[in-house]
Amino acid sequence: MRSQRRHVAAQDLIFAEGDPPTTAFLVESGRIEISTVQHGRVQVLGELGPGELLGEMAVLDNSHRSTSARALTDCVLLPIDRDQFSERLEAADPVVRALLMSQLARYRSALATLTRGGETAPGATAPVPHVDPGLDKIRLESELRLALERGDLDVLLQPLQDMTDGTIAGYESLIRWRHPERGQVSPAEFIRLAEETSLILPIGDYVLDRVCAMLVRLRERRDEPLPFIALNVSARQLADADLVPRWIARLAAHDLPPDRLRIEITESLMFDTPRIAQLLDACHAAGMTVALDDFGTGYANLGVLADLDFDCIKLDRSLVHRLSSSRGLALVRAIVAMARGLRCQVVAEGVETSTQYALLRDLGCRYAQGWLVGRPVPLRDVVAD
Ligand code: C2E
Ligand code: MG
Ligand code: MG
């Protein structure tokens, strides 16, 4: 990486139109004239001074210089390597990157029109049509907004079985997107997208409404006791101060007992301990229960479990799938013992085989969720049982 300052004498050329894009510069002192040649005549486009970037456009989109830069006074320039930009661009949000590159392309085309009546500058690269992943993401997000308005988001229920007597204790609500071209899109894909903007908030309210309507429907069926329904909640939703009061109001509007709504928050949110503690207090005060989802997936900080009184721990399916090894078995046994000590229920997620089921039951894990017990299904399949 170059870091040595470059001293340029007045009237010296820094780069010429058509040069390859090797470096950009930060102007430390002096003034620089930016120009282009039009019909054989030099046309001055502007002047740059201290604190401004020079030559970054060609470096950003890897095209030849579309202008020339000449020092008007003695100048000191700090070279900036292409890598310094490109690594950051690579790491940037693809949407931000797409916006930047589209603005750059538009600026280049305006520059070409201004200086050459629409002809492309020598060495300048014509924009290549391609589907930018950032733009693809924006498109998907707009479609998701539309899907929410149209009600193309389905909420399915997956049963949680009590292994001591085989009854269904409750259900987890899981969202699905019926996409007109892509078919069913997984929440693993679109929930992350929705979390990047505030779109997750109306989606969360939508799922809550559907869950309340489902509880009402289950109550009409006079299931005794009424099973609970678990609601997955994202990090961004937790920042909404009105979240718990809204849950309480919705439940009250349908005259539903608050303990029939279980909140699931994923282990990856645990680093924000004070916020989670507040949520737990507010939920418990209202009578709702809270589960720690995906337990054991990488962010486990066991210490915080001493401060955060979750009602339930959901053993991630990656742990359930390790039951076949003696070390995996030892780990799950220890987690079940820990949960018992904390007076916390344990739900095993992703139970797919009867061997896993039997092992979990023998270890003292009480609840099982997974394809063996039941896949996520629409409410009509639940009430038809
Ligand atoms: P999660 O909360 O951990 O949900 C369990 C996931 O495991 C679901 O994936 C479920 O379909 C899948 N699963 C259940 N049993 C089995 C099994 O036996 N084997 C395997 N391989 N998988 C099984 P899904 O529905 O694709 O949801 C993925 C994640 O998306 C959820 O993980 C949850 O974090 C999130 N999500 C789903 N619905 C919502 C929602 O309404 N709001 C929010 N914020 N997130 C949601
Ligand atoms: Mg969950
Ligand atoms: Mg989970």
Side-chain angles (χ1 to χ4, degrees), residues 158 172-176 186-188 191 200 207 232-234 237 264 293-294 317 349-352 370-371 376:
Q158 187 179 28
E172 176 172 7
S173 59
L174 293 163
I175 195 167
R176 296 286 178 273
S186 153
I191 288 289
I200 190 66
V207 179
N232 287 289
V233 176
S234 301
Q237 291 175 267
E264 287 194 9
D293 205 352
D294 306 330
R317 69 166 175 269
E349 296 193 273
V351 181
E352 292 176 1
W371 296 342

PDB file of all heavy atoms in Angstrom, residues 158 172-176 186-188 191 200 207 232-234 237 264 293-294 317 349-352 370-371 376, ligand 1:
ATOM      1  N   GLN A 158     -46.429 -25.204  13.616  1.00  0.00           N
ATOM      2  CA  GLN A 158     -45.737 -26.481  13.806  1.00  0.00           C
ATOM      3  C   GLN A 158     -45.923 -26.924  15.264  1.00  0.00           C
ATOM      4  O   GLN A 158     -45.674 -26.138  16.185  1.00  0.00           O
ATOM      5  CB  GLN A 158     -44.240 -26.352  13.490  1.00  0.00           C
ATOM      6  CG  GLN A 158     -43.561 -27.725  13.517  1.00  0.00           C
ATOM      7  CD  GLN A 158     -42.085 -27.696  13.187  1.00  0.00           C
ATOM      8  OE1 GLN A 158     -41.407 -26.710  13.423  1.00  0.00           O
ATOM      9  NE2 GLN A 158     -41.594 -28.793  12.650  1.00  0.00           N
ATOM     10  N   GLU A 172     -45.628 -23.522  17.152  1.00  0.00           N
ATOM     11  CA  GLU A 172     -44.803 -22.362  16.802  1.00  0.00           C
ATOM     12  C   GLU A 172     -45.340 -21.799  15.500  1.00  0.00           C
ATOM     13  O   GLU A 172     -45.596 -22.554  14.545  1.00  0.00           O
ATOM     14  CB  GLU A 172     -43.329 -22.760  16.627  1.00  0.00           C
ATOM     15  CG  GLU A 172     -42.490 -21.550  16.164  1.00  0.00           C
ATOM     16  CD  GLU A 172     -40.986 -21.781  16.131  1.00  0.00           C
ATOM     17  OE1 GLU A 172     -40.548 -22.931  16.336  1.00  0.00           O
ATOM     18  OE2 GLU A 172     -40.262 -20.798  15.889  1.00  0.00           O
ATOM     19  N   SER A 173     -45.530 -20.487  15.446  1.00  0.00           N
ATOM     20  CA  SER A 173     -45.984 -19.866  14.195  1.00  0.00           C
ATOM     21  C   SER A 173     -44.756 -19.606  13.324  1.00  0.00           C
ATOM     22  O   SER A 173     -43.745 -19.093  13.805  1.00  0.00           O
ATOM     23  CB  SER A 173     -46.735 -18.564  14.481  1.00  0.00           C
ATOM     24  OG  SER A 173     -45.912 -17.652  15.168  1.00  0.00           O
ATOM     25  N   LEU A 174     -44.843 -19.991  12.056  1.00  0.00           N
ATOM     26  CA  LEU A 174     -43.726 -19.817  11.118  1.00  0.00           C
ATOM     27  C   LEU A 174     -44.257 -19.201   9.833  1.00  0.00           C
ATOM     28  O   LEU A 174     -45.216 -19.697   9.243  1.00  0.00           O
ATOM     29  CB  LEU A 174     -43.060 -21.168  10.834  1.00  0.00           C
ATOM     30  CG  LEU A 174     -42.332 -21.800  12.030  1.00  0.00           C
ATOM     31  CD1 LEU A 174     -42.073 -23.280  11.788  1.00  0.00           C
ATOM     32  CD2 LEU A 174     -41.026 -21.069  12.332  1.00  0.00           C
ATOM     33  N   ILE A 175     -43.639 -18.103   9.438  1.00  0.00           N
ATOM     34  CA  ILE A 175     -44.149 -17.361   8.279  1.00  0.00           C
ATOM     35  C   ILE A 175     -43.627 -17.956   6.969  1.00  0.00           C
ATOM     36  O   ILE A 175     -42.535 -18.519   6.916  1.00  0.00           O
ATOM     37  CB  ILE A 175     -43.766 -15.867   8.432  1.00  0.00           C
ATOM     38  CG1 ILE A 175     -44.555 -14.987   7.475  1.00  0.00           C
ATOM     39  CG2 ILE A 175     -42.284 -15.660   8.265  1.00  0.00           C
ATOM     40  CD1 ILE A 175     -44.454 -13.509   7.801  1.00  0.00           C
ATOM     41  N   ARG A 176     -44.418 -17.844   5.928  1.00  0.00           N
ATOM     42  CA  ARG A 176     -44.052 -18.270   4.569  1.00  0.00           C
ATOM     43  C   ARG A 176     -44.499 -17.202   3.589  1.00  0.00           C
ATOM     44  O   ARG A 176     -45.538 -16.596   3.774  1.00  0.00           O
ATOM     45  CB  ARG A 176     -44.781 -19.574   4.185  1.00  0.00           C
ATOM     46  CG  ARG A 176     -44.412 -20.786   5.014  1.00  0.00           C
ATOM     47  CD  ARG A 176     -43.032 -21.295   4.641  1.00  0.00           C
ATOM     48  NE  ARG A 176     -42.626 -22.424   5.442  1.00  0.00           N
ATOM     49  CZ  ARG A 176     -42.010 -22.331   6.613  1.00  0.00           C
ATOM     50  NH1 ARG A 176     -41.749 -21.159   7.140  1.00  0.00           N
ATOM     51  NH2 ARG A 176     -41.639 -23.406   7.264  1.00  0.00           N
ATOM     52  N   SER A 186     -38.342 -18.982   1.740  1.00  0.00           N
ATOM     53  CA  SER A 186     -38.090 -19.306   3.145  1.00  0.00           C
ATOM     54  C   SER A 186     -37.896 -18.036   3.980  1.00  0.00           C
ATOM     55  O   SER A 186     -37.269 -17.082   3.532  1.00  0.00           O
ATOM     56  CB  SER A 186     -36.832 -20.172   3.224  1.00  0.00           C
ATOM     57  OG  SER A 186     -36.211 -20.006   4.472  1.00  0.00           O
ATOM     58  N   PRO A 187     -38.416 -18.059   5.212  1.00  0.00           N
ATOM     59  CA  PRO A 187     -38.193 -16.893   6.084  1.00  0.00           C
ATOM     60  C   PRO A 187     -36.709 -16.654   6.348  1.00  0.00           C
ATOM     61  O   PRO A 187     -36.307 -15.527   6.614  1.00  0.00           O
ATOM     62  CB  PRO A 187     -38.941 -17.239   7.367  1.00  0.00           C
ATOM     63  CG  PRO A 187     -39.155 -18.706   7.341  1.00  0.00           C
ATOM     64  CD  PRO A 187     -39.181 -19.107   5.900  1.00  0.00           C
ATOM     65  N   ALA A 188     -35.897 -17.710   6.252  1.00  0.00           N
ATOM     66  CA  ALA A 188     -34.461 -17.529   6.475  1.00  0.00           C
ATOM     67  C   ALA A 188     -33.930 -16.491   5.484  1.00  0.00           C
ATOM     68  O   ALA A 188     -32.991 -15.754   5.778  1.00  0.00           O
ATOM     69  CB  ALA A 188     -33.737 -18.858   6.293  1.00  0.00           C
ATOM     70  N   ILE A 191     -36.797 -12.799   6.044  1.00  0.00           N
ATOM     71  CA  ILE A 191     -36.866 -12.129   7.354  1.00  0.00           C
ATOM     72  C   ILE A 191     -35.608 -11.280   7.553  1.00  0.00           C
ATOM     73  O   ILE A 191     -35.674 -10.142   8.019  1.00  0.00           O
ATOM     74  CB  ILE A 191     -37.053 -13.144   8.510  1.00  0.00           C
ATOM     75  CG1 ILE A 191     -38.468 -13.715   8.490  1.00  0.00           C
ATOM     76  CG2 ILE A 191     -36.746 -12.526   9.869  1.00  0.00           C
ATOM     77  CD1 ILE A 191     -39.575 -12.747   8.898  1.00  0.00           C
ATOM     78  N   ILE A 200     -39.787  -5.088   8.956  1.00  0.00           N
ATOM     79  CA  ILE A 200     -40.022  -6.187   9.896  1.00  0.00           C
ATOM     80  C   ILE A 200     -41.134  -5.812  10.898  1.00  0.00           C
ATOM     81  O   ILE A 200     -41.811  -6.698  11.413  1.00  0.00           O
ATOM     82  CB  ILE A 200     -38.709  -6.577  10.639  1.00  0.00           C
ATOM     83  CG1 ILE A 200     -38.882  -7.875  11.444  1.00  0.00           C
ATOM     84  CG2 ILE A 200     -38.218  -5.471  11.544  1.00  0.00           C
ATOM     85  CD1 ILE A 200     -39.122  -9.090  10.660  1.00  0.00           C
ATOM     86  N   VAL A 207     -48.087 -11.036  11.641  1.00  0.00           N
ATOM     87  CA  VAL A 207     -48.024 -12.402  12.203  1.00  0.00           C
ATOM     88  C   VAL A 207     -48.787 -12.440  13.529  1.00  0.00           C
ATOM     89  O   VAL A 207     -49.547 -13.383  13.797  1.00  0.00           O
ATOM     90  CB  VAL A 207     -46.560 -12.876  12.383  1.00  0.00           C
ATOM     91  CG1 VAL A 207     -46.513 -14.270  12.990  1.00  0.00           C
ATOM     92  CG2 VAL A 207     -45.819 -12.869  11.052  1.00  0.00           C
ATOM     93  N   ASN A 232     -42.174 -15.733  16.789  1.00  0.00           N
ATOM     94  CA  ASN A 232     -40.755 -15.385  16.654  1.00  0.00           C
ATOM     95  C   ASN A 232     -40.596 -13.868  16.566  1.00  0.00           C
ATOM     96  O   ASN A 232     -41.331 -13.208  15.836  1.00  0.00           O
ATOM     97  CB  ASN A 232     -40.164 -16.026  15.393  1.00  0.00           C
ATOM     98  CG  ASN A 232     -39.990 -17.512  15.555  1.00  0.00           C
ATOM     99  OD1 ASN A 232     -39.130 -17.975  16.288  1.00  0.00           O
ATOM    100  ND2 ASN A 232     -40.855 -18.286  14.889  1.00  0.00           N
ATOM    101  N   VAL A 233     -39.650 -13.350  17.296  1.00  0.00           N
ATOM    102  CA  VAL A 233     -39.441 -11.902  17.321  1.00  0.00           C
ATOM    103  C   VAL A 233     -37.995 -11.587  16.955  1.00  0.00           C
ATOM    104  O   VAL A 233     -37.063 -12.255  17.406  1.00  0.00           O
ATOM    105  CB  VAL A 233     -39.782 -11.346  18.720  1.00  0.00           C
ATOM    106  CG1 VAL A 233     -39.486  -9.876  18.798  1.00  0.00           C
ATOM    107  CG2 VAL A 233     -41.248 -11.601  19.036  1.00  0.00           C
ATOM    108  N   SER A 234     -37.829 -10.566  16.109  1.00  0.00           N
ATOM    109  CA  SER A 234     -36.502 -10.174  15.623  1.00  0.00           C
ATOM    110  C   SER A 234     -35.913  -9.044  16.454  1.00  0.00           C
ATOM    111  O   SER A 234     -36.638  -8.305  17.118  1.00  0.00           O
ATOM    112  CB  SER A 234     -36.612  -9.642  14.202  1.00  0.00           C
ATOM    113  OG  SER A 234     -37.147 -10.591  13.380  1.00  0.00           O
ATOM    114  N   GLN A 237     -37.408  -5.548  16.130  1.00  0.00           N
ATOM    115  CA  GLN A 237     -38.702  -5.348  16.782  1.00  0.00           C
ATOM    116  C   GLN A 237     -38.525  -4.970  18.251  1.00  0.00           C
ATOM    117  O   GLN A 237     -39.338  -4.240  18.803  1.00  0.00           O
ATOM    118  CB  GLN A 237     -39.537  -6.632  16.696  1.00  0.00           C
ATOM    119  CG  GLN A 237     -39.995  -6.949  15.291  1.00  0.00           C
ATOM    120  CD  GLN A 237     -40.715  -8.295  15.242  1.00  0.00           C
ATOM    121  OE1 GLN A 237     -40.108  -9.324  14.977  1.00  0.00           O
ATOM    122  NE2 GLN A 237     -41.999  -8.286  15.530  1.00  0.00           N
ATOM    123  N   GLU A 264     -40.643 -15.993  21.217  1.00  0.00           N
ATOM    124  CA  GLU A 264     -39.350 -16.668  20.986  1.00  0.00           C
ATOM    125  C   GLU A 264     -38.332 -15.641  20.514  1.00  0.00           C
ATOM    126  O   GLU A 264     -38.565 -14.959  19.513  1.00  0.00           O
ATOM    127  CB  GLU A 264     -39.486 -17.765  19.916  1.00  0.00           C
ATOM    128  CG  GLU A 264     -40.228 -18.972  20.424  1.00  0.00           C
ATOM    129  CD  GLU A 264     -40.080 -20.196  19.517  1.00  0.00           C
ATOM    130  OE1 GLU A 264     -39.258 -20.160  18.566  1.00  0.00           O
ATOM    131  OE2 GLU A 264     -40.793 -21.184  19.765  1.00  0.00           O
ATOM    132  N   ASP A 293     -34.588 -19.080  21.768  1.00  0.00           N
ATOM    133  CA  ASP A 293     -34.586 -19.909  20.552  1.00  0.00           C
ATOM    134  C   ASP A 293     -33.155 -20.241  20.116  1.00  0.00           C
ATOM    135  O   ASP A 293     -32.221 -19.501  20.451  1.00  0.00           O
ATOM    136  CB  ASP A 293     -35.290 -19.115  19.438  1.00  0.00           C
ATOM    137  CG  ASP A 293     -35.880 -20.000  18.367  1.00  0.00           C
ATOM    138  OD1 ASP A 293     -35.636 -21.214  18.383  1.00  0.00           O
ATOM    139  OD2 ASP A 293     -36.602 -19.460  17.493  1.00  0.00           O
ATOM    140  N   ASP A 294     -33.009 -21.318  19.363  1.00  0.00           N
ATOM    141  CA  ASP A 294     -31.731 -21.678  18.726  1.00  0.00           C
ATOM    142  C   ASP A 294     -30.592 -21.780  19.731  1.00  0.00           C
ATOM    143  O   ASP A 294     -29.453 -21.383  19.443  1.00  0.00           O
ATOM    144  CB  ASP A 294     -31.350 -20.648  17.642  1.00  0.00           C
ATOM    145  CG  ASP A 294     -32.451 -20.445  16.633  1.00  0.00           C
ATOM    146  OD1 ASP A 294     -33.208 -21.397  16.385  1.00  0.00           O
ATOM    147  OD2 ASP A 294     -32.578 -19.319  16.101  1.00  0.00           O
ATOM    148  N   ARG A 317     -31.462 -27.360  16.472  1.00  0.00           N
ATOM    149  CA  ARG A 317     -31.450 -28.683  15.831  1.00  0.00           C
ATOM    150  C   ARG A 317     -30.042 -29.200  15.545  1.00  0.00           C
ATOM    151  O   ARG A 317     -29.824 -30.397  15.441  1.00  0.00           O
ATOM    152  CB  ARG A 317     -32.329 -28.703  14.586  1.00  0.00           C
ATOM    153  CG  ARG A 317     -31.844 -27.909  13.414  1.00  0.00           C
ATOM    154  CD  ARG A 317     -32.648 -28.329  12.184  1.00  0.00           C
ATOM    155  NE  ARG A 317     -32.302 -27.524  11.041  1.00  0.00           N
ATOM    156  CZ  ARG A 317     -32.923 -26.399  10.703  1.00  0.00           C
ATOM    157  NH1 ARG A 317     -33.945 -25.976  11.427  1.00  0.00           N
ATOM    158  NH2 ARG A 317     -32.542 -25.711   9.661  1.00  0.00           N
ATOM    159  N   GLU A 349     -35.524 -28.888  19.162  1.00  0.00           N
ATOM    160  CA  GLU A 349     -35.945 -28.510  17.808  1.00  0.00           C
ATOM    161  C   GLU A 349     -35.387 -29.495  16.780  1.00  0.00           C
ATOM    162  O   GLU A 349     -34.339 -30.105  17.010  1.00  0.00           O
ATOM    163  CB  GLU A 349     -35.359 -27.144  17.438  1.00  0.00           C
ATOM    164  CG  GLU A 349     -35.818 -25.978  18.254  1.00  0.00           C
ATOM    165  CD  GLU A 349     -35.396 -24.671  17.573  1.00  0.00           C
ATOM    166  OE1 GLU A 349     -34.281 -24.209  17.823  1.00  0.00           O
ATOM    167  OE2 GLU A 349     -36.195 -24.146  16.783  1.00  0.00           O
ATOM    168  N   GLY A 350     -36.055 -29.613  15.660  1.00  0.00           N
ATOM    169  CA  GLY A 350     -35.522 -30.397  14.545  1.00  0.00           C
ATOM    170  C   GLY A 350     -35.434 -31.887  14.825  1.00  0.00           C
ATOM    171  O   GLY A 350     -34.515 -32.556  14.344  1.00  0.00           O
ATOM    172  N   VAL A 351     -36.393 -32.430  15.607  1.00  0.00           N
ATOM    173  CA  VAL A 351     -36.391 -33.866  15.889  1.00  0.00           C
ATOM    174  C   VAL A 351     -36.940 -34.587  14.653  1.00  0.00           C
ATOM    175  O   VAL A 351     -38.091 -34.388  14.272  1.00  0.00           O
ATOM    176  CB  VAL A 351     -37.242 -34.194  17.137  1.00  0.00           C
ATOM    177  CG1 VAL A 351     -37.210 -35.690  17.425  1.00  0.00           C
ATOM    178  CG2 VAL A 351     -36.754 -33.390  18.329  1.00  0.00           C
ATOM    179  N   GLU A 352     -36.076 -35.371  14.026  1.00  0.00           N
ATOM    180  CA  GLU A 352     -36.467 -35.997  12.755  1.00  0.00           C
ATOM    181  C   GLU A 352     -36.587 -37.512  12.852  1.00  0.00           C
ATOM    182  O   GLU A 352     -37.239 -38.136  12.024  1.00  0.00           O
ATOM    183  CB  GLU A 352     -35.453 -35.632  11.661  1.00  0.00           C
ATOM    184  CG  GLU A 352     -35.496 -34.151  11.292  1.00  0.00           C
ATOM    185  CD  GLU A 352     -34.429 -33.762  10.270  1.00  0.00           C
ATOM    186  OE1 GLU A 352     -33.661 -34.634   9.835  1.00  0.00           O
ATOM    187  OE2 GLU A 352     -34.377 -32.569   9.918  1.00  0.00           O
ATOM    188  N   GLY A 370     -40.384 -30.989  15.548  1.00  0.00           N
ATOM    189  CA  GLY A 370     -39.616 -31.443  14.390  1.00  0.00           C
ATOM    190  C   GLY A 370     -40.494 -32.249  13.459  1.00  0.00           C
ATOM    191  O   GLY A 370     -41.652 -32.523  13.758  1.00  0.00           O
ATOM    192  N   TRP A 371     -39.903 -32.615  12.329  1.00  0.00           N
ATOM    193  CA  TRP A 371     -40.680 -33.287  11.300  1.00  0.00           C
ATOM    194  C   TRP A 371     -41.286 -34.603  11.778  1.00  0.00           C
ATOM    195  O   TRP A 371     -42.337 -35.013  11.320  1.00  0.00           O
ATOM    196  CB  TRP A 371     -39.808 -33.513  10.062  1.00  0.00           C
ATOM    197  CG  TRP A 371     -39.399 -32.208   9.450  1.00  0.00           C
ATOM    198  CD1 TRP A 371     -39.987 -30.983   9.662  1.00  0.00           C
ATOM    199  CD2 TRP A 371     -38.319 -31.981   8.541  1.00  0.00           C
ATOM    200  NE1 TRP A 371     -39.336 -30.009   8.945  1.00  0.00           N
ATOM    201  CE2 TRP A 371     -38.315 -30.591   8.249  1.00  0.00           C
ATOM    202  CE3 TRP A 371     -37.362 -32.796   7.949  1.00  0.00           C
ATOM    203  CZ2 TRP A 371     -37.387 -30.022   7.390  1.00  0.00           C
ATOM    204  CZ3 TRP A 371     -36.437 -32.222   7.088  1.00  0.00           C
ATOM    205  CH2 TRP A 371     -36.448 -30.859   6.812  1.00  0.00           C
ATOM    206  N   PRO A 376     -44.623 -27.883   9.704  1.00  0.00           N
ATOM    207  CA  PRO A 376     -45.458 -26.680   9.778  1.00  0.00           C
ATOM    208  C   PRO A 376     -46.622 -26.791   8.787  1.00  0.00           C
ATOM    209  O   PRO A 376     -46.399 -27.141   7.625  1.00  0.00           O
ATOM    210  CB  PRO A 376     -44.500 -25.557   9.375  1.00  0.00           C
ATOM    211  CG  PRO A 376     -43.121 -26.124   9.540  1.00  0.00           C
ATOM    212  CD  PRO A 376     -43.249 -27.588   9.265  1.00  0.00           C
TER     213      PRO A 376
HETATM  214  P1  C2E B   1     -36.807 -21.019  14.140  1.00  0.00           P
HETATM  215  O1  C2E B   1     -37.630 -20.089  14.958  1.00  0.00           O
HETATM  216  O2  C2E B   1     -35.677 -21.692  14.823  1.00  0.00           O
HETATM  217  O3  C2E B   1     -37.806 -22.070  13.533  1.00  0.00           O
HETATM  218  C1  C2E B   1     -37.534 -23.433  13.373  1.00  0.00           C
HETATM  219  C2  C2E B   1     -37.147 -23.727  11.970  1.00  0.00           C
HETATM  220  O4  C2E B   1     -36.818 -25.117  11.833  1.00  0.00           O
HETATM  221  C3  C2E B   1     -38.284 -23.520  10.965  1.00  0.00           C
HETATM  222  O5  C2E B   1     -37.696 -23.085   9.759  1.00  0.00           O
HETATM  223  C4  C2E B   1     -38.862 -24.930  10.810  1.00  0.00           C
HETATM  224  O6  C2E B   1     -39.586 -25.089   9.611  1.00  0.00           O
HETATM  225  C5  C2E B   1     -37.584 -25.729  10.816  1.00  0.00           C
HETATM  226  N1  C2E B   1     -37.830 -27.107  11.233  1.00  0.00           N
HETATM  227  C6  C2E B   1     -38.783 -27.597  12.040  1.00  0.00           C
HETATM  228  N2  C2E B   1     -38.654 -28.920  12.232  1.00  0.00           N
HETATM  229  C7  C2E B   1     -37.575 -29.289  11.509  1.00  0.00           C
HETATM  230  C8  C2E B   1     -36.907 -30.573  11.297  1.00  0.00           C
HETATM  231  O7  C2E B   1     -37.279 -31.604  11.827  1.00  0.00           O
HETATM  232  N3  C2E B   1     -35.802 -30.547  10.504  1.00  0.00           N
HETATM  233  C9  C2E B   1     -35.355 -29.410   9.910  1.00  0.00           C
HETATM  234  N4  C2E B   1     -34.285 -29.493   9.128  1.00  0.00           N
HETATM  235  N5  C2E B   1     -35.952 -28.218  10.073  1.00  0.00           N
HETATM  236  C10 C2E B   1     -37.054 -28.166  10.874  1.00  0.00           C
HETATM  237  P2  C2E B   1     -38.350 -21.929   8.908  1.00  0.00           P
HETATM  238  O8  C2E B   1     -39.839 -22.017   8.994  1.00  0.00           O
HETATM  239  O9  C2E B   1     -37.699 -21.946   7.580  1.00  0.00           O
HETATM  240  O10 C2E B   1     -37.931 -20.628   9.703  1.00  0.00           O
HETATM  241  C11 C2E B   1     -36.594 -20.241   9.764  1.00  0.00           C
HETATM  242  C12 C2E B   1     -36.429 -19.126  10.758  1.00  0.00           C
HETATM  243  O11 C2E B   1     -37.073 -17.931  10.300  1.00  0.00           O
HETATM  244  C13 C2E B   1     -37.058 -19.416  12.111  1.00  0.00           C
HETATM  245  O12 C2E B   1     -36.204 -20.248  12.857  1.00  0.00           O
HETATM  246  C14 C2E B   1     -37.196 -18.032  12.672  1.00  0.00           C
HETATM  247  O13 C2E B   1     -35.979 -17.584  13.232  1.00  0.00           O
HETATM  248  C15 C2E B   1     -37.497 -17.203  11.427  1.00  0.00           C
HETATM  249  N6  C2E B   1     -38.942 -16.948  11.360  1.00  0.00           N
HETATM  250  C16 C2E B   1     -39.934 -17.747  10.928  1.00  0.00           C
HETATM  251  N7  C2E B   1     -41.122 -17.133  11.061  1.00  0.00           N
HETATM  252  C17 C2E B   1     -40.881 -15.926  11.585  1.00  0.00           C
HETATM  253  C18 C2E B   1     -41.715 -14.804  11.967  1.00  0.00           C
HETATM  254  O14 C2E B   1     -42.949 -14.819  11.882  1.00  0.00           O
HETATM  255  N8  C2E B   1     -41.085 -13.708  12.484  1.00  0.00           N
HETATM  256  C19 C2E B   1     -39.722 -13.666  12.657  1.00  0.00           C
HETATM  257  N9  C2E B   1     -39.167 -12.549  13.164  1.00  0.00           N
HETATM  258  N10 C2E B   1     -38.922 -14.687  12.305  1.00  0.00           N
HETATM  259  C20 C2E B   1     -39.494 -15.804  11.790  1.00  0.00           C
END
